[in-house]
Amino acid sequence: MAFPHHAIPTSRQKDLRIRQLDLLYEYSRLPQWLIMLAALVTSVLVWDHVAHHLLIGWLLSLVVLALLRSQLVKRYHAANDTHRLRLRWRAMFYLGNLLTGLSLGIAQILMVPLDNFTVQAPVYGLASGAGICVAVIYANRFLAFATFVIPAFVPATIYLISQDDPTSPYWGMMGITLFGCILLAGAFVNRSSLRALVASEHSNALVTRLEEARVQAEGLNQQLAREIQQRRQAEQNLRESHDILEQRVEQRTAELEEAGHALRSNQAQLSLALEASELGLWDWDLASDRVYHSHVEEIFGLSADAVRSMEQDLRPLVHPDDAEPVRQALVRHLKDQTSAYRIEYRVRHADGRWVWVEDSGRAVERDDQGRVLRMIGTRRDITPRRHQAEAAQLAATVFEATSEGIFILDPQLNILTVNKAFSVITGYSADDAIGRRIINMGMEKDREDFDRLRKVLHDQDRWQGERIGQRRSGEQYPQWLQLAVVRDAHGQLTHYVGFFADLTTRRQTEEQVRYLTNYDPLTQLANRNLFTQRLSETTGRARKSGEQLAVMHIDLDRFKYINDTLGHDVADQLLRTVAKRLNDLVPDAEILARLSADEFVVIVEQRTAKDELVRLAEQLLEGLKHPVTIDGHELVVTASIGISQFPQTARDALLMITQANQAMQHAKHLGGNSFQFFTRDLQSYSLERLQLENQLRKALDENQLVVHYQPKLHLASDRIRSAEALVRWKHPQRGLIMPGEFIEMAEETGLILALGDIVLQQACAQASRWYHQGPTAIAVAVNLSVQQLRQSQFAQRVKGILEECDLPASMLELELTESMLLEHSDEVTRNVAELQEMGIRLSVDDFGTGYSSLAYLKRFPLHTLKIDRTFVSGLDEEGRDAAIVCAIIAMSHSLGLNVVAEGVEHHSQLAFLKANGCDEVQGYLISRPLPAREFTALLDSESSTSPTH
């Protein structure tokens, strides 16, 4: 560090530089030997972790540096003072420091293993300790200190931070901390050393000057004797001047007393002014942090004695969000970057609320270095002013942001200001509107309206109502207008304020709501609400006139399947087409309405005789059956129709709807594409179905469901290798109920999920017993519902059941329908893929009866195709069934699929299937479905007759 020129003369700077260099070279050997000692200890610690040639090379380099340093010190001491001031001595010393520090830093990088904490800790601690000692010794001259510390710590620290292992970044952070601390310590030591040297030189200079002063004093004593005589003469002159001075002092004292009186008067006036303005005056002594503050109670709610220190008493009251801006403003002024200190911020009042204050001040006293010693200023509460400004800003924002048009008028109805909504609604910009009379901006009728409204406002100060407004384009629109009067303190009218809203959108929305309340937006037919109203009105008229009435409830068959497979867009187009066809088929109906997704109703008043209703129902069924093409899909739609008659079966509108729905459900249950009249027997049937549904729910809870197994005969080996699991309901009163009576109901009510889970659980448990206990391993096929496949975790549920039952996945086969595979559902596709990955075999049940498509045979990993019983039953007759069966078998084998034929009941059918290569068969010819115990007995008997068993 260089010496400032103003501190000591130039001649002294050379002596100080020589003194510093002497100190550096005098103590330079000790750091070198400290490093050598640390290097030897480090070598012992890392001897087993570093290549020995690298370690020995490093030690030799330190020895060479120590020897070179020793030679440099000897040569320096042999040189004279003038020679020592040459740059090369400093350069050689700094170079030695640089190489020594670099060798220490490189050793920490190359020789310390990153994954060994027991080595890292002592080596880093030893290196840090040696580095600190050497740095402190060299701190006498900052450049010597820096040339050692930087290469010793910075490379190793950067290297450790850049590593990916868990501990190195923390060692790096410790290195940064240690490096910063060493820099601060070095700077402090350097500064203290420099000051000590300067003080020493000043002391030497002072001794020299004292000697010179002694010599001068002797000369002055002689001169003093000569001057004594002169002073005596001067004393006489002084006495004379003293008398004159006393007269002048008395005169000046009188003048000062008069000026002081005037000053005290001005101070009193200033105090009164400060009290009246509630302006707090503060005086801050920065050296002692003592502060004087007036009006403390008015601003902070504190007593005057509570505020003594700026840092302890006032600074904690500043709002946390404002603390940093206040500090920055104060620092800028303290650094003389601003002429005054001024800022607005929040402080906490004694009652807990936040108060806005305006703080202004100025530095009035600085020391020789420019540091501020004293500040004075004022502080006042501006909370009301801030709240007024915020309220004004909020009002302006609301004024511009509101969707209602706002205008302000003077008493002569001239427009003073408008908001953006005014311009949007009327078409007049603010520049066009301001200054014009509002009665000149609309229709002629506006003049009459505003003249009338002025009279009303004169008495009531407020008016609101609906009126017709006119835009700049001439378009008229409904508006809701509110007018209010603004008066001054004396009650004189100063302004009119108007608010208006455009009701056009509201009117359109109300009209749309009224339409949607009564009509279906998709088909434009009446909806349930309008249908219910019309039916009530129609039944009321029929009751009074004694006429008959009929309601036809129409429900599309298999519409949900179309919706699920082809998508909502196709389904919506189909519904619009059906609605148009129905409209054309019953043009004279009282009303045609759409009740829900695929349900329509017709009120028939004219042709109410039963035979006429039959003809109308047949016409509807026939008209709906005509094919329709939508987005390239040719669709044939059928329907189920339920008919209720008034007053034959129903006496009110609600009962007609219920009866028609029950009749429709019965028609659908009979297979669809038909119509049914409501009868009393049908009511009993519906009640029976409801009871059966409740009993089925109870059956699921009480484990009344059992599984029977129908064997599949493997034709090539003539052995039973697999079976199909078929559910039965063991009813407490009715006995064994076949699935045909409750499966469809379970599908409709959602109970199929719980039912399918029970069947799958029981089937896997029984298959596991056959697999582990014998008599032979049997693969079990279980029918699935599409609702099961739609469950997001279905595949995982199957996996859990297999693991729970300890059954290999290859022993389970899941039977799917063609409609499941045609469904475009991500969940179905994902579940099928996961089941196949688990090793579960997948088969297609009733192949050829649904929407058969070769596409899904390619898409899905199938194992088996099951030929439907309808084709097998026709094998005994001459027809196409035999050709279809042969084609299915040939196609399946070409695709590598297994073929199973269902419903084999005659030997001729079995012979045909065996002759044409069918793999497996099942049916009553082989065996009816058996309980698990009887099926096990069948396997035992088969095993006993086997020649190989």
Side-chain angles (χ1 to χ4, degrees):
M1 181 178 290
F3 297 98
H5 293 287
H6 65 274
I8 55 176
T10 305
S11 60
R12 297 289 183 185
Q13 292 181 12
K14 294 181 180 180
D15 295 335
L16 283 176
R17 290 177 181 172
I18 292 175
R19 181 92 174 268
Q20 280 186 312
L21 285 173
D22 290 345
L23 290 173
L24 286 176
Y25 275 90
E26 182 178 355
Y27 297 113
S28 63
R29 291 186 179 128
L30 177 59
Q32 199 67 35
W33 292 115
L34 279 175
I35 292 173
M36 283 298 301
L37 179 60
L40 291 174
V41 177
T42 300
S43 300
V44 174
L45 292 172
V46 301
W47 181 260
D48 296 329
H49 303 280
V50 181
H52 294 171
H53 68 276
L54 180 63
L55 187 60
I56 294 172
W58 176 60
L59 290 173
L60 290 176
S61 66
L62 290 177
V63 171
V64 171
L65 287 175
L67 295 175
L68 290 175
R69 176 60 62 87
S70 179
Q71 290 298 318
L72 181 64
V73 171
K74 288 180 180 180
R75 290 177 180 271
Y76 175 83
H77 288 313
N80 56 38
D81 291 346
T82 303
H83 189 65
R84 290 178 182 179
L85 287 174
R86 292 182 180 178
L87 179 61
R88 69 177 184 176
W89 296 107
R90 294 194 297 275
M92 295 291 288
F93 192 91
Y94 297 154
L95 178 60
N97 280 7
L98 179 65
L99 294 175
T100 303
L102 192 60
S103 65
L104 186 60
I106 291 175
Q108 297 180 61
I109 296 174
L110 298 179
M111 300 182 186
V112 180
L114 296 179
D115 57 348
N116 194 326
F117 179 82
T118 58
V119 176
Q120 283 181 315
V123 172
Y124 288 158
L126 189 63
S128 300
I132 292 172
C133 293
V134 175
V136 171
I137 294 172
Y138 287 156
N140 175 49
R141 188 153 183 100
F142 191 80
L143 192 55
F145 165 82
T147 54
F148 172 79
V149 170
I150 292 174
F153 285 88
V154 171
T157 302
I158 295 174
Y159 170 74
L160 289 172
I161 291 176
S162 63
Q163 299 306 303
D164 295 332
D165 62 282
T167 59
S168 293
Y170 294 100
W171 284 115
M173 294 301 297
M174 186 180 296
I176 291 174
T177 305
L178 184 61
F179 179 72
C181 294
I182 292 174
L183 283 181
L184 290 175
F188 178 80
V189 172
N190 176 264
R191 186 173 182 180
S192 300
S193 174
L194 179 60
R195 287 181 176 178
L197 288 174
V198 172
S200 176
E201 289 301 317
H202 275 297
S203 298
N204 294 335
L206 183 60
V207 171
T208 304
R209 289 178 183 175
L210 287 174
E211 182 64 25
E212 293 174 354
R214 186 185 64 77
V215 176
Q216 291 177 358
E218 291 178 355
L220 289 174
N221 286 335
Q222 297 175 2
Q223 186 179 359
L224 181 61
R226 292 192 298 268
E227 291 178 353
I228 288 176
Q229 185 64 31
Q230 297 175 359
R231 186 173 296 176
R232 289 175 180 172
Q233 182 63 36
E235 287 178 355
Q236 182 64 32
N237 296 334
L238 184 61
R239 291 191 189 98
E240 295 174 356
S241 300
H242 180 69
D243 295 337
I244 298 172
L245 182 61
E246 282 184 346
Q247 295 176 2
R248 291 181 179 178
V249 167
E250 290 177 356
Q251 180 182 358
R252 184 62 177 167
T253 301
E255 293 175 354
L256 289 174
E257 288 180 354
E258 182 179 355
H261 182 269
L263 178 61
R264 286 191 294 274
S265 177
N266 291 336
Q267 287 178 339
Q269 294 176 358
L270 178 60
S271 298
L272 290 174
L274 290 174
E275 290 291 337
S277 65
E278 297 184 351
L279 194 67
L281 179 67
W282 54 267
D283 187 342
W284 182 22
D285 184 349
L286 276 74
S288 63
D289 194 38
R290 304 294 295 175
V291 63
Y292 163 77
H293 204 305
S294 64
H295 287 83
V296 174
E297 185 172 359
E298 288 82 353
I299 298 175
F300 300 101
L302 303 172
S303 63
D305 296 337
V307 178
R308 296 295 185 188
S309 169
M310 183 70 76
E311 288 291 326
Q312 297 179 4
D313 299 331
L314 292 181
R315 184 176 180 181
L317 301 179
V318 179
H319 193 285
D321 294 343
D322 298 336
E324 183 61 20
V326 172
R327 189 189 69 81
Q328 292 179 359
L330 184 60
V331 168
R332 284 196 297 269
H333 181 63
L334 293 177
K335 290 183 177 180
D336 205 15
Q337 297 176 356
T338 58
S339 60
Y341 159 72
R342 180 182 178 85
I343 190 172
E344 295 179 359
Y345 57 91
R346 291 162 290 181
V347 296
R348 184 182 293 278
H349 196 271
D351 60 10
R353 60 190 173 91
W354 292 104
V355 177
W356 279 97
V357 296
E358 179 186 69
D359 200 1
S360 303
R362 186 186 300 274
V364 295
E365 185 178 350
R366 296 178 183 266
D367 61 10
D368 296 339
Q369 284 75 35
R371 292 192 294 264
V372 177
L373 300 178
R374 183 184 176 199
M375 286 185 66
I376 61 172
T378 61
R379 186 178 284 114
R380 62 174 175 171
D381 185 351
I382 60 169
T383 303
R385 190 187 76 187
R386 292 284 300 205
H387 288 171
Q388 291 173 1
E390 291 174 358
Q393 178 66 29
L394 180 61
T397 302
V398 173
F399 180 80
E400 289 297 333
T402 182
S403 61
E404 293 185 341
I406 303 176
F407 57 87
I408 300 176
L409 311 176
D410 63 12
Q412 289 74 41
L413 301 183
N414 294 312
I415 298 178
L416 300 179
T417 185
V418 298
N419 68 346
K420 292 182 179 179
F422 177 95
S423 301
V424 172
I425 295 173
T426 64
Y428 290 96
S429 66
D431 295 337
D432 294 336
I434 294 175
R436 298 180 61 178
R437 297 195 74 196
I438 192 151
I439 61 176
N440 296 331
M441 298 180 62
M443 301 178 293
E444 187 64 28
K445 185 176 178 296
D446 287 348
R447 298 176 182 271
E448 302 173 4
D449 285 347
F450 277 97
D451 288 340
R452 176 175 56 82
L453 292 177
R454 289 178 71 178
K455 296 178 182 179
V456 174
L457 291 171
H458 181 74
D459 299 328
Q460 300 180 5
D461 284 355
R462 183 174 294 276
W463 177 89
Q464 63 179 359
E466 185 173 342
R467 60 187 298 276
I468 300 299
Q470 181 169 302
R471 309 188 202 275
R472 186 172 189 173
S473 61
E475 175 192 356
Q476 297 182 9
Y477 66 97
Q479 69 173 205
W480 182 261
L481 176 64
Q482 301 178 66
L483 290 173
V485 171
V486 180
R487 299 184 185 275
D488 60 16
H490 305 290
Q492 297 297 317
L493 187 149
T494 60
H495 298 88
Y496 293 102
V497 179
F499 305 84
F500 66 96
D502 186 350
L503 300 179
T504 303
T505 304
R506 180 177 175 182
R507 291 287 181 268
Q508 293 173 349
T509 303
E510 290 175 351
E511 185 64 28
Q512 186 177 8
V513 169
R514 279 195 295 270
Y515 179 81
L516 294 177
T517 302
N518 294 317
Y519 291 93
D520 172 40
L522 178 64
T523 62
Q524 313 305 316
L525 298 179
N527 62 10
R528 182 183 294 272
N529 181 61
L530 183 57
F531 166 74
T532 304
Q533 295 176 15
R534 293 284 181 85
L535 182 59
S536 298
E537 295 170 359
T538 306
T539 52
R541 289 198 306 267
R543 186 177 289 107
K544 291 179 182 179
S545 62
E547 297 178 350
Q548 295 183 359
L549 188 68
V551 170
M552 306 184 77
H553 192 144
I554 307 167
D555 185 88
L556 303 184
D557 298 329
R558 296 175 61 83
F559 175 78
K560 184 177 184 302
Y561 175 74
I562 295 175
N563 191 29
D564 292 343
T565 55
L566 300 181
H568 297 297
D569 291 339
V570 173
D572 288 346
Q573 294 182 52
L574 177 60
L575 287 174
R576 284 192 286 266
T577 302
V578 169
K580 184 177 182 306
R581 287 185 178 180
L582 291 175
N583 232 342
D584 295 339
L585 292 169
V586 287
D588 55 347
E590 168 62 23
I591 189 170
L592 169 64
R594 179 187 177 210
L595 290 189
S596 61
D598 59 341
E599 296 183 30
F600 301 85
V601 286
V602 178
I603 300 177
V604 182
E605 284 188 294
Q606 303 298 327
R607 299 181 294 174
T608 58
K610 188 169 184 178
D611 56 344
E612 292 179 316
L613 291 175
V614 169
R615 283 196 296 272
L616 178 58
E618 291 174 344
Q619 291 174 6
L620 293 177
L621 293 175
E622 188 63 29
L624 291 176
K625 280 172 37 178
H626 293 162
V628 57
T629 302
I630 299 176
D631 290 349
H633 302 282
E634 184 178 85
L635 304 175
V636 176
V637 181
T638 62
S640 300
I641 302 177
I643 306 172
S644 174
Q645 295 173 284
F646 175 90
Q648 290 91 329
T649 59
R651 303 297 297 175
D652 56 54
L654 182 60
L655 192 55
M656 288 189 74
I657 297 174
T658 303
Q659 291 179 353
N661 179 266
Q662 290 178 352
M664 179 273 295
Q665 292 292 344
H666 185 55
K668 187 174 289 290
H669 184 67
L670 294 177
N673 193 26
S674 63
F675 62 89
Q676 291 290 322
F677 284 88
F678 178 81
T679 63
R680 300 301 175 188
D681 295 336
L682 184 59
Q683 184 174 11
S684 302
Y685 171 77
S686 299
L687 181 60
E688 181 182 348
R689 278 182 59 84
L690 179 61
Q691 293 174 346
L692 190 65
E693 177 185 339
N694 294 330
Q695 292 171 357
L696 180 58
R697 294 181 186 276
K698 185 178 180 182
L700 293 174
D701 295 333
E702 297 181 356
N703 297 323
Q704 296 178 10
L705 298 180
V706 295
V707 177
H708 287 192
Y709 302 89
Q710 185 172 33
K712 298 180 184 178
L713 181 66
H714 187 256
L715 296 180
S717 62
D718 200 28
R719 307 289 296 175
I720 297 174
R721 292 186 178 180
S722 59
E724 181 177 2
L726 301 171
V727 66
R728 301 290 187 263
W729 180 2
K730 197 173 183 180
H731 196 279
Q733 287 81 36
R734 298 176 54 185
L736 207 62
I737 301 178
M738 295 294 106
E741 295 188 42
F742 60 86
I743 288 296
E744 181 181 353
M745 181 174 59
E747 292 272 6
E748 295 173 359
T749 58
L751 297 176
I752 192 66
L753 295 176
L755 189 151
D757 202 56
I758 291 173
V759 172
L760 186 60
Q761 181 79 35
Q762 290 189 22
C764 289
Q766 183 58 53
S768 177
R769 284 191 288 271
W770 286 328
Y771 181 81
H772 293 287
Q773 302 173 14
T776 184
I778 295 295
V780 176
V782 180
N783 291 282
L784 290 186
S785 165
V786 68
Q787 295 185 36
Q788 291 176 277
L789 273 182
R790 290 173 185 161
Q791 300 299 305
S792 59
Q793 297 296 322
F794 175 71
Q796 295 303 313
R797 171 60 181 157
V798 174
K799 182 178 180 182
I801 292 175
L802 290 175
E803 292 175 352
E804 179 183 346
C805 297
D806 191 19
L807 179 67
S810 60
M811 301 305 292
L812 175 63
E813 180 178 306
L814 297 179
E815 296 189 1
L816 316 175
T817 63
E818 292 177 302
S819 59
M820 295 182 193
L821 300 176
L822 288 173
E823 182 167 324
H824 297 282
S825 168
D826 293 339
E827 291 299 337
V828 171
T829 304
R830 188 180 301 110
N831 279 323
V832 169
E834 291 182 10
L835 292 171
Q836 192 273 336
E837 289 177 3
M838 291 161 52
I840 295 173
R841 295 187 298 177
L842 303 176
S843 64
V844 179
D845 195 15
D846 301 334
F847 180 77
T849 60
Y851 294 90
S852 300
S853 170
L854 296 180
Y856 71 78
L857 296 178
K858 181 176 64 174
R859 281 179 54 205
F860 293 100
L862 301 174
H863 177 268
T864 302
L865 289 184
K866 296 189 71 175
I867 303 174
D868 188 67
R869 65 181 62 250
T870 57
F871 299 119
V872 175
S873 63
L875 292 179
D876 293 333
E877 305 171 4
E878 293 184 0
R880 299 181 179 179
D881 289 336
I884 293 174
V885 170
C886 290
I888 293 175
I889 294 173
M891 178 192 69
S892 300
H893 287 168
S894 65
L895 294 174
L897 301 179
N898 193 50
V899 182
V900 178
E902 297 181 299
V904 178
E905 298 179 355
H906 303 288
H907 289 284
S908 59
Q909 297 169 350
L910 177 62
F912 178 87
L913 293 170
K914 191 171 186 179
N916 286 277
C918 184
D919 299 298
E920 292 181 291
V921 295
Q922 69 180 92
Y924 275 41
L925 179 63
I926 311 303
S927 173
R928 61 179 177 81
L930 302 173
R933 182 175 297 178
E934 295 181 19
F935 193 95
T936 303
L938 176 64
L939 295 178
D940 284 332
S941 64
E942 185 184 48
S943 299
S944 63
T945 59
S946 174
T948 59
H949 187 75

